């Protein structure tokens, strides 16, 4: 079961965001339990099975406050395959706000793919869903993500929440909360990201 049939294609054509699908469950399980994923999201389980990925996919598909996408990336032969997930959650239609998150296969980090995927998600949030506000949360120790949010997206740091995420071993991680508003997106951020995407 899928909650939507939305398909988003990046301006470069190398990324396609598609509804979560059963054939990706095994790849999702591998990504969510990858050591690099767990490096910054220490509250996630160390082991994830394809069946657990299926249950999560089906549960979230029935949740009206969630719109998930799988990130499919084109290879050298022109074929698309799963390389991550992104989307909106905690959607609040009354206040026109949502939270955005992303997980990308570690071998594709720092190659422009995350920027491209998030460009598509932000465009969908602000232009299709008419959100007024989008937020991001990341571990304070996730310096690459913090740097992208601040220097590339130009998001505003709204809070640093102390010892917010459990590491499931008795410790906790500080979390940084960022936001971007609709008028900021339309007033220049959209074009800035699009230029970066087309240079990729």
């Amino acid at each position: 079961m899928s909650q939507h049939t939305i398909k988003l294609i990046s301006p470069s054509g190398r990324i396609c965001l598609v509804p979560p699908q059963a054939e990706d469950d095994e790849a999702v399980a591998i990504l969510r339990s990858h050591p690099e994923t767990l490096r910054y999201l220490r509250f996630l389980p160390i082991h994830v099975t394809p069946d657990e990925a299926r249950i999560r996919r089906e549960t979230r598909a029935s949740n009206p406050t969630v719109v998930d996408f799988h990130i499919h990336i084109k290879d050298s032969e022109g074929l698309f395959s799963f390389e991550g997930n992104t989307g909106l959650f905690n959607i609040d239609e009354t206040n026109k706000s949502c939270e955005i998150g992303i997980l990308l296969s570690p071998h594709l980090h720092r190659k422009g793919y995350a920027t491209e995927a998030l460009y598509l998600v932000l465009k969908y949030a602000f232009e299709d869903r008419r959100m007024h506000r989008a937020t991001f949360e990341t571990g304070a120790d996730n310096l690459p993500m913090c740097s992208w949010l601040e220097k590339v997206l130009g998001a505003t740091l709204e809070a640093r929440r102390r010892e917010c995420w459990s590491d499931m071993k008795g410790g906790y991680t500080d979390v940084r909360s960022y936001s971007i508003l609709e008028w900021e997106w339309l007033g220049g951020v959209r074009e800035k990201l699009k230029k970066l995407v087309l240079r990729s």
Side-chain angles (χ1 to χ4, degrees):
M1 180 178 67
S2 174
Q3 70 180 164
H4 64 81
T5 58
I6 303 161
K7 186 176 180 180
L8 307 174
I9 301 174
S10 70
S12 74
R14 68 175 186 165
I15 284 185
C16 184
L17 301 189
V18 300
Q21 48 199 260
E23 50 264 43
D24 291 339
D25 286 345
E26 184 174 359
V28 170
I30 292 170
L31 176 60
R32 288 183 65 81
S33 56
H34 192 286
E36 188 64 19
T37 300
L38 299 176
R39 178 181 177 188
Y40 297 118
L41 301 175
R42 291 183 281 274
F43 54 82
L44 292 179
I46 295 175
H47 302 290
V48 179
T49 67
D51 194 52
E52 289 169 332
R54 174 189 62 79
I55 292 170
R56 182 178 187 273
R57 171 174 53 79
E58 293 177 350
T59 300
R60 289 172 70 87
S62 63
N63 185 341
T65 70
V66 174
V67 179
D68 283 333
F69 292 100
H70 282 181
I71 303 170
H72 283 194
I73 294 179
K74 186 188 293 185
D75 63 20
S76 59
E77 297 180 356
L79 301 176
F80 284 89
S81 60
F82 174 88
E83 292 292 357
N85 54 264
T86 186
L88 317 182
F89 56 103
N90 292 332
I91 297 171
D92 180 344
E93 292 289 359
T94 300
N95 295 301
K96 293 296 181 184
S97 67
C98 65
E99 188 171 344
I100 293 175
I102 186 170
L103 278 181
L104 187 68
S105 295
H107 73 279
L108 296 176
H109 288 183
R110 300 174 184 84
K111 295 182 179 179
Y113 290 105
T115 296
E116 206 157 336
L118 288 170
Y119 166 79
L120 289 175
V121 173
L122 284 160
K123 189 174 188 297
Y124 170 74
F126 288 122
E127 298 177 34
D128 296 326
R129 294 299 296 259
R130 301 295 182 184
M131 293 287 112
H132 175 67
R133 168 184 167 85
T135 62
F136 297 81
E137 293 204 339
T138 188
D141 60 339
N142 189 347
L143 299 183
M145 188 63 183
C146 291
S147 178
W148 186 89
L149 288 166
E150 294 171 9
K151 297 178 181 178
V152 179
L153 186 61
T156 297
L157 176 63
E158 293 191 328
R160 178 164 179 155
R161 296 188 286 131
R162 298 182 301 158
E163 298 186 5
C164 185
W165 287 350
S166 171
D167 66 5
M168 312 308 289
K169 298 177 182 178
Y172 293 87
T173 300
D174 290 357
V175 170
R176 290 188 177 189
S177 299
Y178 294 86
S179 71
I180 179 171
L181 303 178
E182 178 186 22
W183 60 266
E184 293 172 321
W185 171 255
L186 297 174
V189 174
R190 174 179 58 184
E191 290 308 310
K192 176 184 176 183
L193 289 190
K194 186 175 182 179
K195 286 179 182 178
L196 290 175
V197 166
L198 292 174
R199 285 213 311 254
S200 298

